[in-house]
Amino acid sequence: MSELVCCPLLLILAGLLRKLEGDGIPRESSPFINNDSMERGNIYEGKNMALFEEEMDSNPMVSSLLNKLANYTNVTQGVVEHEEDEDSKRKEIKAPRMGTFIGVYLPCLQNILGVILFLRLTWIVGTAGVLQSFIIVFMCCSGTLLTAISMSAIATNGVVPAGGSYYMISRSLGPEFGGAVGICFYLGTTFAGAMYILGTIEILLKYISPNAAIFEGGEEAMLNNMRVYGTCILALMALVVFVGVKYVNKLALVFLACVILSIFAIYAGVIKTAFEPPNFPVCLLGNRTLVRDTDFPCVKYYEENNMTVTTKLWENFCGSLLLNATCDEYFILNNVTEIQGIPGVASGVFLDNLWSVYGDKFAIVEKQDQPSVPVLEETDVKIKNYVYSDIMTYFTMLVGIYFPSVTGIMAGSNRSGDLRDAQKAIPTGTILAILTTSFIYLSCIVLFGACIEGVVLRDKFGQAVNGNLVIGTLAWPSPWVIVIGSFFSTCGAGLQSLTGAPRLLQAIARDGIVPFLQVFGHGKANGEPTWALLLTALICEIGILIASLDSVAPILSMFFLMCYLFVNLACAVQTLLRTPNWRPRFKYYHWTLSFLGMSLCLALMFICSWYYALIAMLIAGCIYKYIEYRGAEKEWGDGIRGLSLNAARYALLRVEQGPPHTKNWRPQVLVLLNLDSEQMVKHPRLLSFTSQLKAGKGLTIVGTVLPGIYLDKFTEAQRAEENIRSLMGAERTKGFCQIVVSSTVRDGISHLIQSAGLGGMKHNTVLMAWPQSWKRTDNPFSWKNFVDTVRETTAAHQALLVAKNMDSFPMNQERFSEGNIDVWWIVHDGGMLMLLPFLLRQHKVWRKCKMRIFTVAQMDDNSIQMKKDLQMFLYHLRINAEVEVVEMFENDISAFTYEKTLVMEQRSQMLKQMQLSKNEREREIQSITDESRGSIRKKSRSSPQCIGQDVDNLLPNDIQEEEAQLIHDRNTASRSTGMVKSHTAVATPDKIQMTWTKEKLISEKHKNKEACLSSYKDIFSMKPEWGNLNQSNVRRMHTAVKLNGVVLNKSQHAQLVLLNMPGPPKNRHGDENYMEFLEVLTEGLNRVLLVRGGGREVITIYS
């Protein structure tokens, strides 16, 4: 009974522990496979599904899946914070009820129709003309329409959780692009808030209460007023957002009503002008437009009581009211005329406004067809009397100022969590809103050009019409309808920006893709993004300090255009890849439309401002690289991953067509690691050496073998892979990890050598550590595995690198301030020995080391010519290295060599006997005895000649083959180069750097022959058992001992020694002796890299 009670308690505790695990950051919920949050209360009840009960931990029942889908919600934490009461008790979340009209259409309408329409559109029409203005609006609206089509396809391809545009981009293009574009979208939204606040201040100080200005004076004073008032309003708005977001959301409909009412007032005013144009007279001096107040008479003087009375206009241009005052020449020569600022639709002014009138900064606004008398020299007249342009105008600048008026198309997708059917509402509502606003903008351009005089259109601040808002002069019933409506509209848009931007930043921070932004994922207990709001306000203050709406608009245009560009890219990539999960419900899309939209957005970026475009791209690129370098690993099934797979497949198919050319050859390394009992890497410095050798280029496969059966070793294999990947990350080794579970280590290594890699991206080089424990009797297979690996790499035509004393190799953090990398070029291996030091010296660890190349000259070689040839060879290879030729001559085999050989053979016999049965031991001992007797009989017929004399004729064929394999085809390979003849021979320190002559060669041969004859009689008197030794082993040992002595003499203090690695004997009886030869060859050296070529040239002198 106690067990029955404990089991539910344990299950409850386990569930609580699972909920407590993690970092506290909300994750995407999924009702599908491997969702631990599923309720499994009665999942095992009944016997109908007993056949599948063992799989139900990971694969849910269909009924459970459907129930989970029915209750699935995409509203994330923080979206419904305004639903909480004052007691901080969360109310029951009601099902989303908003449809297409309320949830998408109206919010998009409110965000698209804004400050630019009321404050700048008339000025754009007057400056660019109706035709070019139409082109500007059409380009911008086309870009947003194409973007909306792409966005609709993405939004209808599955459930879009709250987060809208950022969610769509990041899940479609991956965390790197998503983070970069998400931050750009956040910056654009923040600067949009600054632009709306500046628009609010401009309406307040220019049209509502001009007397509220703190600073009096010129343009600079106005900018300071904008900064002071803007900062105050920003602080007020941020406080409102911080205290009560619910009030902002409830006031959204009020702000929207103001916008719609203002639009209707404009159309009503246009209709009224056809019958009764409003009275807004404009005063012209010649063809120049004059600044006019309400009490400003448009005459120079007038007659009153038979007296000539001068006006304020006279005083402005003459400096005095006196008739005899000295006046401006242009003022004297030209008459003052008065025209109607709003002549009406039927006036025919449309044709005058058809063409563009661009000008420089401080250019006076002039009426084109008005008669005027020019003057030769302009006097220093106060320019404030005229209406003038405050900035230089040109087409591309107007595009940058106008584009923010078509942004806001993401408003519907940002509310995706509150929609009844987001997949239906987002496409329909967004596209209808864009079509509606496009019609409004295009029609306004035509109507403004048809109703308003050109000089009034180019009057940005309405100075010629008594300081009225120009678009307000057209409105009915009063200009104040537009002024008040635009004021509340810009206030509401600013509040919406300050509400949306912090939540966007919070979503990015909670995704964890940008580490330094994680602090902005936190906020108040109800989910309010406090820290994100503070950062948003600070960035918004930067835009306000700029203080010019015309300067801020192009900045946010860049960020929004970049966001729209990547929305189009995401749709195009997903469509072209044809991924199985790409099944949008919205069918009216095509990759060509997305590509066209992407191209248009990119073109608009550079049309608006090429330097702002480059800065925005640089910011996005830096964020991309930062996320790639430091960001969290996320796998969202994005299109960029799919694009990478397709590109990799295409490249692999191309590479597989043939082997790479010698010029393109680089070591593609398979690193063989050894693991301990805890599945940790025994020699981590092997990965350090790999990264130093590769420098991030080419292919690296890190492999290891676990002995056993895969079903039993699956968990260990996963743990080993995690450990290796972790070490690869720490050592910055870029590559792939491959774990093989095999019945024996020997077979596993063979499988790796044969099958690692894919297609043309296969390894051509194997890197492994020297088996330090090969002499231990408890590990008899380590040396066998090593020798077989050497044989298999040779058979597979792969190069082999064996690092000896691996634990003394440098880590990536170490630096050699001096020292040498010594290359001992004994036999030609295709140039591997030349290429490896060059690659190593590209890394910071080895950069300050010098490269030295040693080669060996024998008795019949000209060492001086060899040195010249080698120097010329290196010159053509473009490799800088010191060259030294070591001369070696034939001499007697020393007693030390015989002793080493004897110990080696005795040990070999012992190792063999440990692995044989009793009968096998007897047969092996008999064969050894017979072999010894045969060798003694051979020695009785001929003297033990030195290396290189008549001994080749006395050896059996298999022994000659073994020797030829050991020397690694020295004669053929060395003569094939035509430059350096490298034969394995012996040298003593006192014979270094000598030059052989013909006489000396003959004398040395006679001397050696006499020495051999004289020593023959007493060579075996020292130890009789030396006579039983295998002479092939003796000569190999002699080579190893002598060559080791020469290398020690020259390279004992080198930082790294690279040495040709002789191959193992073809017949396997001498494998253990082969290990001893290599041990003797490298004895006393600190760091050694044994190199064995893959049978092909890897370096070339040709370009």
Side-chain angles (χ1 to χ4, degrees), residues 596-610:
L596 181 61
M598 181 179 67
S599 304
L600 188 55
C601 289
L602 185 63
L604 284 172
M605 285 179 67
F606 283 92
I607 287 173
C608 293
S609 174
W610 64 268

Side-chain angles (χ1 to χ4, degrees), residues 292-309:
R292 184 174 187 179
D293 297 327
T294 50
D295 59 345
F296 187 92
C298 190
V299 290
K300 294 181 181 180
Y301 50 84
Y302 59 92
E303 296 290 335
E304 183 177 310
N305 299 328
N306 295 324
M307 293 181 62
T308 303
V309 180

Side-chain angles (χ1 to χ4, degrees), residues 372-410:
S372 171
V373 179
V375 293
L376 296 177
E377 292 185 7
E378 292 281 355
T379 58
D380 185 16
V381 67
K382 295 180 179 178
I383 196 172
K384 69 177 184 179
N385 295 321
Y386 295 114
V387 177
Y388 62 91
S389 176
D390 61 335
I391 57 174
M392 186 173 68
T393 54
Y394 44 92
F395 179 81
T396 56
M397 185 269 291
L398 296 181
V399 174
I401 292 176
Y402 173 75
F403 187 81
S405 64
V406 297
T407 59
I409 63 174
M410 300 288 188

Side-chain angles (χ1 to χ4, degrees), residues 933-945 954 1016:
R933 288 173 181 171
S935 63
I936 292 172
R937 284 196 296 270
K938 291 174 184 177
K939 292 178 182 63
S940 65
R941 292 194 296 269
S942 63
S943 63
Q945 300 295 319
L954 305 176
Y1016 169 70

Side-chain angles (χ1 to χ4, degrees), residues 305-360:
N305 299 328
N306 295 324
M307 293 181 62
T308 303
V309 180
T310 58
T311 62
K312 187 178 179 181
L313 182 62
W314 183 280
E315 183 181 7
N316 289 340
F317 282 93
C318 300
S320 172
L321 291 173
L322 299 175
L323 284 171
N324 59 357
T326 304
C327 298
D328 177 65
E329 185 181 359
Y330 187 85
F331 178 75
I332 295 172
L333 295 176
N334 289 278
N335 295 324
V336 177
T337 56
E338 192 174 61
I339 61 172
Q340 276 298 324
I342 312 292
V345 176
S347 64
V349 75
F350 180 80
L351 295 176
D352 297 334
N353 294 327
L354 206 56
W355 311 109
S356 62
V357 184
Y358 297 117
D360 295 327

